[in-house]
Amino acid sequence: MQFAARTERIRTSHIREILKVAANPAVISFAGGLPNPALFPVAEIARAAADVFEREGQAALQYANSEGLPALREWISARYKKIHDLNIPPDEILITSGSQQALDLLGKTLIDPGRPVIVEEPAYLGALQAFAMYEPRFHHVPLESDGVDVNALEHLPMIRGNPAGDDAYPSGTGDSASRNRSGSPNSEPIFYTTPDFQNPAGVTCSTEKRRRLAGLADRLTIIEDNPYGDLIYDDDSERPPLLRSLDDRVILLGSFSKIVSPGVRVGWVCAKRPLYDRLLIARQAADLHTSNLTQMTIARYLADNDLDLHISALRKYYRANRDCMLTALSENFPAGALEMIRPGGGMFLWCRFRDPISTDAFFHDALHENVLFVPGGAFYPDHDPAGDRYMRLNFSNADPESIRTGVERLARAYQKNYSKQLGGLTKDSTAGAISGEIL
Amino acid sequence: MQFAARTERIRTSHIREILKVAANPAVISFAGGLPNPALFPVAEIARAAADVFEREGQAALQYANSEGLPALREWISARYKKIHDLNIPPDEILITSGSQQALDLLGKTLIDPGRPVIVEEPAYLGALQAFAMYEPRFHHVPLESDGVDVNALEHLPMIRGNPAGDDAYPSGTGDSASRNRSGSPNSEPIFYTTPDFQNPAGVTCSTEKRRRLAGLADRLTIIEDNPYGDLIYDDDSERPPLLRSLDDRVILLGSFSKIVSPGVRVGWVCAKRPLYDRLLIARQAADLHTSNLTQMTIARYLADNDLDLHISALRKYYRANRDCMLTALSENFPAGALEMIRPGGGMFLWCRFRDPISTDAFFHDALHENVLFVPGGAFYPDHDPAGDRYMRLNFSNADPESIRTGVERLARAYQKNYSKQLGGLTKDSTAGAISGEIL
C-alpha cells in the first residue's frame, strides 16, 4: 500500500503513548492535559441536553450548516464583547470540533509545502502535528518568561527580508534565499502563538510584546490560540489584551474544552473574509459540521447557566491545585533543585532541573514510582537539547491529595537516582531561557 | 492574505447554495440528501443520553481516545458479522465524524498531488470535494444500470499499464506515461465507489461486477463507501456481497447518518494496518476524536434498542415515498418524457429528460413554481454535458403529500416551458448510459 508523503514524517505523539500507561489506577499522572472531570457541570449539561431533545429533538439529530449553530456563534461574539470589549461578528466565527480542528483547517487553507511556519519553542505539539500534515518549513523562536522572544522573531530572515518590511528592516539585510521567495505565492510566514498561559511553559506574553507582535501583522499571518485564557488564578485586573484586539487580521482560536467540557469537541476560529470562506469550504470537505446535538446542548447550557460563575469555581479549584503542587515541590525536592515560572493560569507547571538531568531518563525512574509527567524534549520538535532538562506537570486533573502523593513519589525517584551522584546543587548552573523562580 | 494552492481549485458546492433556498417554507425541496426527521428515534436517543449522563457523565464529557469508543466499535464489528458474515475486528474500525471525515482522512493519508483517483460518473460530490483538497488527478468511469463500467475501468492506461497487471493486460499495451509512473511512489490508482444505491444515480452494482472489481485489488486501492446499504426497499434475499467481503484489502466506510441520525456525526472506516495507524495519526492531528458524549449516546441507544426494527420502519416509509414519487411522476409528466432506473434502495431518483432539456435552466423554472431539485450537471465534475439532462430528486425527506404537490409543481414547470416548444416526444432519442425504464 502506498501512502502520501506527508504521512511519512509524522510520529505518533509521545504524549499519547504516555497516556496509555496512565490507565493503570496505581499510577498518578501529571502527564495529560486533562481538565478535572469532577468539575464538569454534568447535571447542568444533562438538563440542557434533555431540554434540547424535548424542544427541538428532530432538528438536533438532522444535518446542520457548516458554519455552526447561530445561537452559539452569537453567544461567543457577545462574550468577546463582554470580556474583551472586542467586536467579532457572529458571521466571522466558525464552530469547529475543538480548536484542534481549527488548526487543521488553517493548515489546509494556508499552508503549501515549504511555507514558513514560525512557532514558539517549546510549543504545543497538537498544533505542530496539525500543521506538519501540510509540509511547512518550521522555524522555532525561543519562549522567554514574558512571552516569545520578539527580537529573535524580528530577526528571522523571512521577516527582515520581506518586501512589506518598513525602513527599520531595509531589504538589503534579508538573506537572498528569503528575498527570492518573497513575492512568490505562499511565502508569507505564519506565526502560531499561545499568548495566555502557554502549553507547556505556562508563560503569558507581556502587553508590550503583544503590541510588538501585532505590529508585525503586515508581514506575518498571526494565529492566536487561546484555550486557557479564562483560567486565570492571580489578579486579573490587568489582563493583557488579546492580539486580536490589537490587530483585526489576527486569526483567533477558542474552545469550550477547558472551561466546559473537552469531550463534546466544540471550539471555534474567528477569521475575516476571504479566509473565513476558504475555511468553510475546507470544513465542508472535512466533515460537514460539528455534532448538532452537541452544539445545541452547549448553547442551551450557556443560555441557562452563568458560565462566569462556573469559571470562578474552576479558577478557585485549579488555583488551589497549582499552589498545592508548588508547595509540595518545594517541600519534597532539595532547595534549588528545580526552577520554574509560577504560572498565572492554565494547567501546567514547567519545571527545569538545575542539574543536567535528562527528563527522558527521569521519566522511567518516575514511572518506577508510579508517577507520570511529560519529558520536556517532547515539546522541542527541533530536538534542541535544552528541552531535555524540563518536565511538564499537569495540576488540573488531580485532587490535592494525589498531587501531594504524586510529588512525593517524584521526589523519591529524584532522591534515589540523582541527588547523591550529583553531589549537591550546582548553584551556578545557567538557567534556561524561561526559567524563573527557584524552588 | 496568501492561501494554499489546494484551496484555489475548490468551488463551494452547488448543492449547498441550493439548500439555502430550501429554507423558504413555501418551497418543497427534493434537493437535499436529508433523511426524514420525523423518523428519527428522538425519544430513544434522549433516553440513551440521559442514561449516559446518569451512569458515566464525567467520562462522557472528558477527552477520549482517537480510535473511538470501544463499545461502539465492537457493536459495528458484531453487526458486520451478523448482516454480512464478515469478520472485521473492532481494532480495524476507526470511528469518524461521519463518513465524510473518513474520506478526508483517506485523502490526507493516501493522496499525494497527482495520484490517480478514479471515480464513478456521476459521483458523490462530497467525496470529490474531500479528495480534491489533496490534489489528485481525477479519472471518471461511467456508471451503468448495473454499476460502474468495469470494462472502461480495466482499460484505463494506469490499470492496464500497471506492472502488477496479469497476462490479460500485457505491459506493452499500457501507455508510456503510465508505465513511467509505475513503481514511483504514490502512483497506484485509488478507486472510489458506492456499490449500493449510489448517490445520485440510485444504481446498485451487480454481484458479477463486484467480483471483477475485487479482482482488481492488486492494482487498485479500493474505497467502498456504503452509507445507504441498509436502506433496501425491494427483495433483499439476494443482497450482493460487500466488496470488502470479496477482498479484505478493500477500505470500507459506514455511517449512522442514514439509519439513525446525521446530526450526531458518527461514521467509521474499516482499514487494516498499516493504513489504520496512519489514519489514526491523521485523525489525532485533525480533531483528536469524535464527541465522546455523542459516541456514548449512540452506543447506549444501540444497546437498548433493536436497530433492525428501526431500519424496517425506515424501509417501509421510504419505500412508500419512492413509490409515491414514481407514481406522481408518471401521472403528471407526459408519457415518455422521463427515463430512470427504479432504485432498489437509497434516497434518490435520478431522472433523465428524453428531450434535450438543460436541467440547469429547468432548475430556475422549477424554482419559480417553488420546487427544488439538484441539476445533474452538479454530479459531473468533468463537465460532461451528458449530465445536463438529469435531475436528482430526493424522496426521503418529504411526506407523501408534499411529494405529490412537489411533483405537480415540477410537471407544471415542465408543461409551461418545454412541452409545447418541443412539440411532443422524440421517441428515438438515445438513452443515457444509466437510463432505464421509461415513465
Side-chain angles (χ1 to χ4, degrees):
Chain A
M1 176 157 274
Q2 294 176 344
F3 298 105
R6 68 178 72 82
T7 71
E8 301 291 346
R9 309 187 188 181
I10 315 292
R11 311 163 299 173
T12 282
S13 160
H14 208 123
I15 297 175
R16 300 213 152 250
E17 296 311 303
I18 290 173
L19 293 181
K20 287 183 184 164
V21 187
N24 176 354
V27 168
I28 291 176
S29 176
F30 301 140
L34 306 181
N36 197 307
L39 303 179
F40 291 153
V42 176
E44 291 83 354
I45 294 180
R47 259 201 306 280
D51 209 48
V52 166
F53 280 116
E54 198 179 309
R55 294 197 206 183
E56 41 189 352
Q58 289 188 6
L61 298 179
Q62 186 58 288
Y63 282 116
N65 72 51
S66 300
E67 291 88 344
L69 188 71
L72 199 54
R73 297 157 75 207
E74 282 159 21
W75 187 93
I76 293 164
S77 172
R79 187 166 171 86
Y80 277 124
K81 183 67 186 169
K82 175 183 164 194
I83 306 285
H84 300 279
D85 193 25
L86 181 57
N87 293 308
I88 301 183
D91 74 350
E92 292 179 6
I93 297 170
L94 176 69
I95 302 294
T96 55
S97 295
S99 54
Q100 184 69 30
Q101 188 181 41
L103 295 170
D104 178 56
L105 297 177
L106 286 167
K108 197 182 254 186
T109 309
L110 296 176
I111 302 174
D112 274 332
R115 184 165 187 177
V117 171
I118 306 164
V119 296
E120 296 157 341
E121 187 168 73
Y124 169 56
L125 286 187
L128 304 193
Q129 261 190 316
F131 296 154
M133 285 286 176
Y134 304 98
E135 304 177 85
R137 226 160 19 98
F138 281 114
H139 301 266
H140 306 275
V141 176
L143 201 58
E144 301 174 307
S145 59
D146 61 346
V148 72
D149 181 343
V150 184
N151 288 332
L153 176 65
E154 286 175 336
H155 282 80
L156 285 175
M158 89 248 7
I159 307 291
R160 288 193 306 165
N162 191 297
D166 60 28
D167 288 343
Y169 303 96
S171 61
T173 65
D175 71 39
S176 62
S178 75
R179 264 182 287 122
N180 288 345
R181 277 191 304 275
S182 295
S184 74
N186 215 249
S187 64
E188 185 191 81
I190 292 167
F191 174 53
Y192 169 77
T193 180
T194 308
D196 290 3
F197 317 129
Q198 199 250 19
N199 174 6
V203 154
T204 292
C205 187
S206 68
T207 300
E208 188 222 328
K209 280 191 170 177
R210 288 176 195 236
R211 294 197 188 283
R212 289 177 65 194
L213 287 173
L216 295 172
D218 277 339
R219 286 176 264 170
L220 282 174
T221 296
I222 300 176
I223 299 174
E224 178 179 26
D225 196 0
N226 190 25
Y228 308 109
D230 283 316
L231 299 181
I232 307 168
Y233 311 134
D234 296 330
D235 179 21
D236 67 348
S237 59
E238 294 193 22
R239 197 165 168 181
L242 292 170
L243 286 175
R244 174 65 176 75
S245 297
L246 301 174
D247 192 297
D248 68 3
R249 288 167 292 186
V250 171
I251 302 160
L252 175 60
L253 276 58
S255 173
F256 291 111
S257 291
K258 308 303 189 289
I259 52 175
V260 180
S261 150
V264 296
R265 313 302 303 126
V266 184
W268 64 89
V269 51
C270 307
K272 298 187 101 60
R273 286 176 176 72
L275 173 60
Y276 188 94
D277 294 326
R278 305 263 178 147
L279 289 170
L280 184 61
I281 290 170
R283 176 61 201 270
Q284 289 170 359
D287 64 355
L288 298 183
H289 63 80
T290 295
S291 165
N292 202 25
L293 171 61
T294 304
Q295 288 189 76
M296 284 185 170
T297 298
I298 294 298
R300 172 59 45 201
Y301 164 78
L302 294 169
D304 291 348
N305 296 271
D306 181 349
L307 182 65
D308 286 313
L309 206 65
H310 178 64
I311 289 175
S312 294
L314 294 179
R315 286 179 183 172
K316 190 175 162 192
Y317 189 96
Y318 289 159
R319 179 192 300 120
N321 272 13
R322 176 199 63 178
D323 294 343
C324 171
M325 187 175 270
L326 285 167
T327 303
L329 287 167
S330 78
E331 287 176 356
N332 288 280
F333 276 82
L338 292 170
E339 303 168 324
M340 74 197 64
I341 298 287
R342 182 169 176 272
M347 309 197 330
F348 304 105
L349 293 187
W350 181 236
C351 306
R352 182 177 182 274
F353 284 98
R354 288 210 79 174
D355 290 315
I357 289 172
S358 158
T359 55
D360 256 342
F362 183 55
F363 174 79
H364 295 281
D365 305 325
L367 185 57
H368 205 75
E369 300 289 336
N370 279 336
V371 61
L372 284 180
F373 62 85
V374 181
F379 304 97
Y380 287 76
D382 228 13
H383 304 292
D384 183 331
D388 285 349
R389 242 194 266 182
Y390 286 92
M391 59 180 175
R392 189 191 76 174
L393 301 178
N394 169 270
F395 59 78
S396 58
N397 188 32
D399 56 56
E401 193 186 320
S402 306
I403 288 176
R404 278 186 289 268
T405 309
V407 170
E408 282 164 18
R409 293 180 186 175
L410 267 185
R412 192 154 56 235
Y414 173 82
Q415 299 281 7
K416 275 190 192 168
N417 296 283
Y418 298 98
S419 62
K420 281 181 196 164
Q421 70 204 65
L422 291 170
L425 299 170
T426 44
K427 290 220 169 182
D428 54 349
S429 74
T430 53
I434 66 154
S435 294
E437 301 168 30
I438 299 178
L439 273 175
Chain B
M1 175 159 273
Q2 293 177 345
F3 297 105
R6 69 179 70 82
T7 70
E8 302 290 346
R9 309 189 189 178
I10 316 292
R11 309 163 301 171
T12 282
S13 159
H14 209 121
I15 298 175
R16 302 213 150 246
E17 297 309 305
I18 290 173
L19 293 182
K20 287 184 184 164
V21 188
N24 176 354
V27 168
I28 292 176
S29 176
F30 301 140
L34 306 181
N36 197 309
L39 304 177
F40 291 152
V42 176
E44 291 83 353
I45 295 181
R47 258 200 307 280
D51 209 47
V52 166
F53 281 116
E54 199 180 310
R55 292 198 208 183
E56 41 189 353
Q58 288 187 6
L61 297 180
Q62 186 58 288
Y63 282 115
N65 73 51
S66 300
E67 292 88 343
L69 189 71
L72 198 54
R73 296 157 74 206
E74 282 159 22
W75 186 93
I76 294 164
S77 172
R79 187 167 172 85
Y80 277 123
K81 184 66 187 169
K82 176 183 163 193
I83 305 286
H84 300 279
D85 193 25
L86 182 57
N87 293 309
I88 301 183
D91 74 350
E92 293 180 4
I93 297 170
L94 176 68
I95 302 292
T96 55
S97 295
S99 53
Q100 183 70 30
Q101 188 181 40
L103 295 170
D104 179 56
L105 297 177
L106 286 167
K108 198 182 254 186
T109 309
L110 296 175
I111 302 176
D112 273 331
R115 183 164 187 177
V117 171
I118 306 165
V119 297
E120 296 158 341
E121 186 167 76
Y124 169 55
L125 287 188
L128 304 193
Q129 262 191 315
F131 296 154
M133 285 286 176
Y134 304 98
E135 304 177 84
R137 226 160 18 99
F138 280 114
H139 301 266
H140 305 275
V141 177
L143 202 59
E144 301 175 309
S145 60
D146 61 346
V148 72
D149 181 344
V150 184
N151 288 333
L153 176 65
E154 287 175 336
H155 281 79
L156 286 175
M158 90 248 6
I159 308 291
R160 290 193 305 166
N162 191 299
D166 61 29
D167 288 342
Y169 304 94
S171 61
T173 65
D175 71 40
S176 61
S178 74
R179 264 183 286 121
N180 287 345
R181 276 192 305 276
S182 294
S184 75
N186 215 249
S187 65
E188 184 191 82
I190 293 167
F191 174 54
Y192 169 77
T193 180
T194 308
D196 290 4
F197 318 129
Q198 199 251 17
N199 173 8
V203 154
T204 292
C205 187
S206 68
T207 300
E208 187 222 331
K209 281 192 171 178
R210 288 176 196 237
R211 294 197 188 284
R212 290 177 64 194
L213 287 173
L216 295 172
D218 277 340
R219 286 175 263 170
L220 282 173
T221 297
I222 300 176
I223 299 173
E224 177 178 27
D225 197 0
N226 190 25
Y228 308 110
D230 283 317
L231 298 181
I232 308 168
Y233 311 134
D234 296 330
D235 179 20
D236 66 349
S237 59
E238 294 194 22
R239 197 166 169 179
L242 292 170
L243 287 174
R244 175 65 178 74
S245 297
L246 301 174
D247 193 297
D248 69 4
R249 288 167 293 184
V250 171
I251 301 159
L252 175 60
L253 276 57
S255 174
F256 290 111
S257 291
K258 308 303 189 287
I259 53 175
V260 180
S261 150
V264 296
R265 312 302 305 126
V266 184
W268 64 88
V269 51
C270 308
K272 298 187 101 60
R273 286 175 178 71
L275 174 60
Y276 188 94
D277 294 326
R278 304 263 180 150
L279 289 170
L280 184 62
I281 290 171
R283 175 62 201 269
Q284 289 171 359
D287 63 357
L288 298 183
H289 63 80
T290 295
S291 165
N292 202 25
L293 172 60
T294 305
Q295 290 188 76
M296 284 185 170
T297 298
I298 294 298
R300 172 58 45 199
Y301 163 78
L302 294 169
D304 291 348
N305 295 272
D306 181 349
L307 182 65
D308 286 314
L309 206 65
H310 178 63
I311 289 175
S312 295
L314 295 180
R315 287 181 182 170
K316 191 175 163 194
Y317 189 97
Y318 289 159
R319 179 193 300 119
N321 271 12
R322 176 199 64 179
D323 294 342
C324 171
M325 189 175 267
L326 286 166
T327 303
L329 286 167
S330 78
E331 286 175 358
N332 287 280
F333 276 82
L338 292 170
E339 303 170 323
M340 75 198 64
I341 299 286
R342 181 168 175 273
M347 309 197 330
F348 304 105
L349 293 188
W350 181 236
C351 307
R352 182 177 183 275
F353 284 99
R354 286 211 79 173
D355 291 315
I357 289 173
S358 157
T359 54
D360 256 342
F362 183 57
F363 174 79
H364 294 282
D365 305 325
L367 186 56
H368 204 73
E369 301 289 336
N370 279 336
V371 61
L372 285 180
F373 62 84
V374 181
F379 303 96
Y380 285 77
D382 230 12
H383 305 292
D384 183 332
D388 285 349
R389 242 194 266 182
Y390 285 92
M391 58 180 176
R392 189 191 76 174
L393 301 178
N394 168 271
F395 58 79
S396 58
N397 188 31
D399 55 56
E401 194 186 319
S402 307
I403 288 175
R404 279 186 289 269
T405 308
V407 170
E408 282 164 20
R409 292 179 187 178
L410 267 185
R412 192 153 58 235
Y414 174 81
Q415 298 282 8
K416 275 189 192 169
N417 296 283
Y418 298 98
S419 62
K420 281 181 194 164
Q421 69 205 66
L422 291 170
L425 298 171
T426 44
K427 290 220 171 185
D428 53 350
S429 74
T430 52
I434 66 156
S435 294
E437 301 168 30
I438 298 178
L439 273 176

